[in-house]
């Protein structure tokens, strides 16, 4: 039996031709399989509210060229020379998306920062994979390394194996906007702890 997708590329292009040119086709937060036609005023107001939320972001008084220069100088030159293959000198600035939240009447949303084709995009990707590999080797019991069904199984095993006289407390870290509200020093402390543990177990490696 041949299954025809509900939305094809041709159908989307036809829809774009039929809609007013200022209409915006996008999906909301957690609605990847649902296409929404946004009023441009509603969409851009929601994006503006999100990016200008002082609890998540602060505006830097930099021009486009100054931002490029700041990013270029943010990593020591010796590291840039050593990992030259991972540095994109013909780069663009990182950019962001906003997935507006239906539960907030699309007045605010979840942000996603893309480092695709940015100066350190490849270096960040390699660093993330390195950290992930170190986590797997040092702390294989960490539930975050598992698939979602396995995480739930591990949580159930942990709770069932916990003695009755042990009182557990749940810490609700609502990771809105892909870790935006997590304090930076907390993330740096976690990475520092990982590196110190790695050096302790592997003293002969750099």
């Amino acid at each position: 039996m041949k299954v025809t997708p509900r939305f094809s590329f041709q159908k989307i292009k036809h829809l774009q031709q039929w809609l007013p040119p200022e209409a915006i086709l996008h999906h909301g937060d957690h609605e990847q399989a649902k296409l929404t036609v946004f009023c441009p005023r509603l969409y851009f107001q929601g994006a503006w509210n999100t990016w200008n939320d002082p609890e998540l972001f602060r505006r830097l008084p930099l021009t486009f060229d100054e931002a490029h220069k700041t990013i270029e100088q943010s990593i020591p030159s010796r590291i840039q020379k050593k990992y030259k293959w991972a540095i994109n000198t013909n780069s663009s600035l990182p950019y962001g998306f906003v997935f507006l939240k239906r539960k907030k009447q699309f007045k605010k949303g979840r942000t996603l920062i893309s480092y695709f084709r940015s100066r350190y995009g490849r270096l960040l990707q390699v660093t993330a994979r390195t950290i992930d590999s170190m986590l797997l080797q040092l702390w294989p019991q960490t539930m975050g390394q598992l698939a979602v069904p396995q995480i739930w199984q591990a949580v159930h095993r942990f709770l069932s194996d916990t003695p009755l006289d042990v009182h557990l407390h749940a810490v609700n870290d609502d990771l809105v906007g892909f870790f935006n509200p997590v304090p930076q020093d907390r993330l740096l402390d976690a990475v520092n702890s990982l590196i110190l543990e790695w050096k302790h177990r592997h003293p002969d490696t750099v």
Side-chain angles (χ1 to χ4, degrees):
M1 184 179 76
K2 183 179 180 181
V3 178
T4 303
R6 185 176 179 185
F7 294 114
S8 63
F9 179 77
Q10 289 77 15
K11 288 182 178 179
I12 297 296
K13 295 300 292 182
H14 179 73
L15 180 61
Q16 282 184 308
Q17 293 172 357
W18 179 77
L19 288 169
E22 53 279 349
I24 297 174
L25 296 175
H26 212 275
H27 66 77
D29 188 39
H30 299 305
E31 296 182 353
Q32 292 86 340
K34 183 175 183 178
L35 187 66
T36 302
V37 181
F38 285 99
C39 161
R41 180 175 295 180
L42 173 68
Y43 182 86
F44 286 112
Q45 185 62 56
W48 176 266
N49 294 341
T50 303
W51 291 116
N52 285 277
D53 185 345
E55 294 184 0
L56 294 180
F57 303 101
R58 64 185 175 92
R59 186 181 294 273
L60 297 177
L62 300 175
T63 64
F64 183 85
D65 292 334
E66 289 171 340
H68 259 292
K69 197 67 177 178
T70 301
I71 291 174
E72 182 181 337
Q73 298 173 346
S74 63
I75 292 182
S77 58
R78 60 181 177 83
I79 295 180
Q80 297 199 44
K81 290 178 181 177
K82 184 173 182 178
Y83 300 103
K84 191 175 181 179
W85 53 269
I87 309 295
N88 180 11
T89 55
N90 299 316
S91 60
S92 58
L93 290 176
Y95 54 92
F97 301 92
V98 176
F99 301 130
L100 299 181
K101 293 176 176 288
R102 184 178 297 274
K103 66 181 180 181
K104 294 187 177 181
Q105 291 77 48
F106 303 116
K107 294 179 180 179
K108 290 185 75 173
R110 181 187 304 275
T111 57
L112 174 64
I113 311 300
S114 174
Y115 293 92
F116 180 66
R117 292 180 178 172
S118 65
R119 183 177 183 86
Y120 303 122
R122 183 178 295 178
L123 184 63
L124 289 171
Q125 187 178 28
V126 172
T127 303
R129 292 186 179 184
T130 303
I131 291 174
D132 189 59
S133 177
M134 293 166 68
L135 279 170
L136 284 170
Q137 295 177 62
L138 293 179
W139 300 317
Q141 74 280 10
T142 303
M143 295 180 187
Q145 302 293 331
L146 305 174
V148 173
Q150 294 172 317
I151 290 176
W152 283 116
Q153 293 173 2
V155 169
H156 283 291
R157 280 196 303 270
F158 173 78
L159 294 175
S160 62
D161 294 343
T162 301
L164 295 177
D165 58 338
V166 174
H167 299 282
L168 301 174
H169 296 274
V171 178
N172 181 17
D173 280 338
D174 184 15
L175 302 182
V176 179
F178 296 140
F179 305 100
N180 286 336
V182 179
Q184 187 183 56
D185 57 355
R186 183 171 169 185
L187 297 175
L188 294 175
D189 286 344
V191 174
N192 188 54
S193 298
L194 177 70
I195 294 173
L196 290 176
E197 181 69 17
W198 180 270
K199 291 172 68 176
H200 175 71
R201 297 197 195 183
H202 305 275
D204 298 330
T205 62
V206 178

